[in-house]
Amino acid sequence: MQRVGNNSGTVIGVLIKKGIHRLQGIPLPVDEVDEYLAPYIRHDGDHLTISKILDEHHVVVLTGSEGSGRFTTALDVLRTRASANIRQVRREPGDRFAIEGLREYDTGWILDLRGEQPPQALGRQLAQDAPQLEHSGSYLVVLCHPRGWKASGSGAAHLTRPLSRPDPQAVLRRRLDQAALPITTAAWLSEPVITDGIAYCTPAHVVTWADAIIATERLHRRRRLAPPTQGDAAFREMVLEVAHAAENWHDQLLAWHTENTNSDYRNYLLAAAVLEGATAEKVYTASAELARALEETPTPRPGQQGLGVIALTHTANADLGRDGIIRFRHPGYAQAVVDYFLADRPHLLGAFTQWTAAQTSSLDSDLAGPLAERVSQWALHYTAHKRTTRLLRALAEQWSQTMPEPACNLLVAAALDSATGQRVRNAYRRWTTDDADKLSASLKVVLAQACQQLATVYPTSMLTRLADLAATPGTAKVTDAVSKALTALWQEPRQRSTVQERLTQWAHDENEARRAAAHVTFAHLAHLTTPSGPALLADQDIDIPWLIDMWRGALSTAQRLPMLSQVFSVWMQAILALPELCPTIWQIFLDAVHQPTDTHYSARRFLTMQHLLFAWAPATQTHDTSAAGAVRDHMLTELRAADPAAPPEPDATTTP
């Protein structure tokens, strides 16, 4: 979970990109590996032991609790062996794993099982199959929680290395030394408040302390104050401020809310925190809107009654700049105010979410984007710590109507996040099945778009979610969104066979909505073209029986496919422009109308084909000598001749 002090509106996109890179099984970019390892402190004992295990067996299992550095340790040890070819094993949680599937040479593999129970007997399997990696020159690092590995790691004790947390002071020193501004690290590490505060922290929490120090130093210099010296009152004040910021200002906010029971003050503080970087006038107006959203009656302020923006801003522990913008005096204070409210007023979550989401539409674009991302960060933070998807769903529902792109990004990021991913993906299953009737059409559309992105790393589960969405009674927009998602996935060769399998299942499903989604999706796919004709025919692994079956379903449900005539024209034009495709297209259409195994033909399919042919090449009053007309008439003749139920020709010999 990232806490971003200066969010310019790109954080969620970066998180999504990194998450997908990690889970797709492609080599991790060198710059991303460097960024992961920036605050990492190598433990020499661990490094030597892990290196020895890899030298002997090419497989090592790293166990440890959350924050013990399993993933970064894996990156560090593999970077010295596989350089720029480090990959995460591509699999969905719960899928079977086998070393024999890791066929690439000279590759460093990471099998991340931190969020799931490892498969039974995985330890014995790893010990038995490890020699396969030696032949390919590759290495495998498995990441597990100690409890999970205890039940599955029998037979692999010699491959296991438990990790302990690194020295917190070393992590803090490393992070401060990497800061963009010069910081006297020794002075901070000599303060008992700092050293005692980080003594039992995970590396991630130590980084939070380090970032609070950096933010405090930056804020101090922004005020153009003289650099404090160690031991003076100003430095001690900065130390206490860092401690408060690292602990999310909880005690200070508790005292503030105990003292300031006036709802007017509280709403102004919360509005200023949400709209951080906005003008005082905007915050002043928004605080009154927030009061109404929370079903309160704002105090009327005729004339000069009540506090003005200067006093309200001062009471909120913020300053009003000459540019009219409110800036908090303490690092991380705005985030802490929102966190405090979400924990303190859970019954107001829905109203607050709606109000917050609505603010983005009234801000300038340079503030609306960062605000949307800050709100997304709050939602991810809340989802992780409260272990509930209530805020996530409420926010996605609200944004799906006015800001579909941020809504989609939020759903994707939450499903990829290591702290929330499994819970969120389970929630999507619940939303698209048990709660499907309660979802708005706009949220279904956004969820389909999110599933499209997530299917690149979780194909089985996300295609199932798309199937669930396709099966729900909804609008044409939902069906179209599902179809576009599948069409986009078809463009990726690795997804093609899975999408084809799903469409085949849906086309023969008892659920009418799912059948409709299959046919609409096929129409979208059939409309794709290449210089060599329809894209479905240009595929090297062209599956003629599948094309016949899907065209047959499309002809049977033509009344629900407005674009079928347009798709049919694309294929017929290919006959004229590319004669070599004529036999293939001809046979597909003939078999789609008259299934060879049928004892009789479908009148609906024949009539639909006839209408499509005349829509493509309309008949004229005079004798039609055009190429399209000739093809049309010849195909009609062939269709009638292929009809198994058609009466015999008058001169045909019959057998009594």
Side-chain angles (χ1 to χ4, degrees), residues 457-535:
V457 291
Y458 299 116
T460 302
S461 58
M462 289 304 120
L463 283 172
T464 302
R465 300 289 76 75
L466 287 170
D468 294 335
L469 285 171
T472 61
T475 65
K477 289 184 179 180
V478 177
T479 300
D480 190 55
V482 172
S483 299
K484 287 181 178 178
L486 292 171
T487 303
L489 290 172
W490 183 272
Q491 311 292 335
E492 301 184 25
R494 291 185 300 179
Q495 305 291 341
R496 194 160 295 173
S497 60
T498 306
V499 173
Q500 179 176 332
E501 179 182 348
R502 292 288 172 174
L503 289 179
T504 302
Q505 294 174 355
W506 297 3
H508 299 281
D509 198 284
E510 295 182 357
N511 184 285
E512 182 178 351
R514 194 169 290 174
R515 291 199 305 273
H519 298 142
V520 171
T521 302
F522 176 73
H524 280 288
L525 296 178
H527 193 254
L528 300 175
T529 59
T530 70
S532 303

Side-chain angles (χ1 to χ4, degrees), residues 74 88 115 125 128 165 185 245-246 253 270 285 385 404 430 446 584:
Q88 185 161 326
Q125 180 185 349
Q128 179 179 340
R165 294 173 180 172
T185 304
L253 285 171
L270 186 56
T285 304
H385 284 265
R430 186 172 63 255
V446 168
T584 301

Side-chain angles (χ1 to χ4, degrees), residues 146-215:
R147 288 195 302 270
W149 186 242
K150 183 178 180 180
S152 306
S154 177
H158 60 295
L159 302 177
T160 306
R161 176 63 178 182
L163 295 183
S164 56
R165 294 173 180 172
D167 177 22
Q169 294 191 31
V171 176
L172 186 73
R173 184 180 296 107
R174 174 71 175 267
R175 187 69 166 183
L176 295 181
D177 290 344
Q178 295 172 339
L181 63 162
I183 293 177
T184 309
T185 304
W188 289 99
L189 283 173
S190 64
E191 290 291 333
V193 172
I194 303 296
T195 54
D196 292 347
I198 66 175
Y200 301 101
C201 290
T202 65
H205 199 185
V206 174
V207 169
T208 300
W209 280 78
D211 290 346
I213 292 174
I214 296 170

Side-chain angles (χ1 to χ4, degrees), residues 10 62 83 150 173 256 280-281 346 400 472 578 609 625 649 656:
T10 60
L62 304 183
S83 185
K150 183 178 180 180
R173 184 180 296 107
W256 188 95
E281 181 181 2
S400 66
T472 61
L578 303 164
M609 179 63 73
T625 59
E649 295 294 331

